[in-house]
Amino acid sequence: MMNKILLSSVLISSLLSASTYAEYSVMTPQFLPKQWSIGAGFQNLTVTNDIQDLDFTGHLVTAQYAFSNRVAVKTSYQLLDFDDNSDVSSQNIDIAAYYGRGFLSNDKLKLYAGIGYFADSWASDNTADDVEFSGFLIGGGLGYNWERMALDFIINARQASDYGEYIESSGGSGTVVAVGGSLSLSVRF
């Protein structure tokens, strides 16, 4: 009887110490992957044809969720001003799924590429109606993760058909290309 009690006590204390070890060593914040990041930065959007470049620059707010070290989804909201006319502004939102490496790593370089969707609205102080653009985007990024911070540089090309229709309706012509670039600093948690 005493041996059974002693054996039961040893087993119970082993289980308790194993669960305590797991709770404090594996589940502490330093061991949990930091799947979320929220940050801010700078954005540039250039819509160009054979004749002119329409350049917008401004700020962005971004959020990212990493499903794994290889797959993440990122969204950003951008407020941009037209460089040649401060009366014209652009509000953008985009969301993209990226595949690459390093999304969850600490103190590592990350490299990724992906596809997504954008919606862009140009407004002018001189007109009542906004001009809307939307479509697919394809892009890639390069970044670096520290334990609590992330730095990302992303370049993407947007589907330019809506921009092309607007430029044609305004008297322009030629092949239209829309390219954006951003630099952001994020907090990881």
Side-chain angles (χ1 to χ4, degrees):
M1 180 73 162
M2 189 63 113
N3 287 341
K4 288 182 182 178
I5 292 173
L6 183 59
L7 182 61
S8 297
S9 297
V10 169
L11 287 174
I12 289 172
S13 64
S14 296
L15 288 173
L16 287 175
S17 86
S19 69
T20 302
Y21 175 77
E23 180 179 338
Y24 288 106
S25 68
V26 177
M27 300 307 285
T28 55
Q30 73 232 29
F31 291 104
L32 291 175
K34 291 177 175 54
Q35 293 177 286
W36 287 97
S37 65
I38 295 177
F42 302 99
Q43 172 78 25
N44 175 273
L45 170 65
T46 299
V47 179
T48 185
N49 64 2
D50 299 336
I51 301 167
Q52 64 181 355
D53 292 341
L54 305 174
D55 292 316
F56 291 84
T57 55
H59 305 284
L60 67 87
V61 176
T62 185
Q64 175 182 292
Y65 180 78
F67 293 96
S68 68
N69 203 39
R70 295 225 174 246
V71 177
V73 64
K74 187 173 202 131
T75 186
S76 68
Y77 177 72
Q78 306 141 23
L79 292 172
L80 311 175
D81 290 320
F82 184 42
D83 291 352
D84 294 337
N85 182 351
S86 61
D87 293 338
V88 178
S89 63
S90 169
Q91 291 187 40
N92 290 274
I93 188 161
D94 62 41
I95 184 164
Y98 290 107
Y99 179 79
R101 65 181 182 98
F103 290 115
L104 296 177
S105 300
N106 289 334
D107 299 321
K108 296 257 178 161
L109 186 69
K110 55 186 173 179
L111 185 62
Y112 48 92
I115 60 171
Y117 178 81
F118 76 92
D120 187 0
S121 177
W122 290 1
S124 173
D125 294 341
N126 301 328
T127 61
D129 295 329
D130 292 352
V131 182
E132 306 286 332
F133 312 97
S134 62
F136 293 100
L137 62 86
I138 185 167
L142 175 69
Y144 193 85
N145 283 347
W146 292 272
E147 183 177 345
R148 300 200 189 282
M149 302 293 288
L151 181 68
D152 286 281
F153 175 68
I154 297 174
I155 295 177
N156 61 49
R158 295 179 172 191
Q159 181 181 359
S161 57
D162 285 356
Y163 294 113
E165 289 174 13
Y166 174 72
I167 289 173
E168 278 184 25
S169 71
S170 301
S173 64
T175 303
V176 176
V177 177
V179 178
S182 66
L183 181 64
S184 64
L185 186 63
S186 302
V187 175
R188 299 176 67 214
F189 56 98

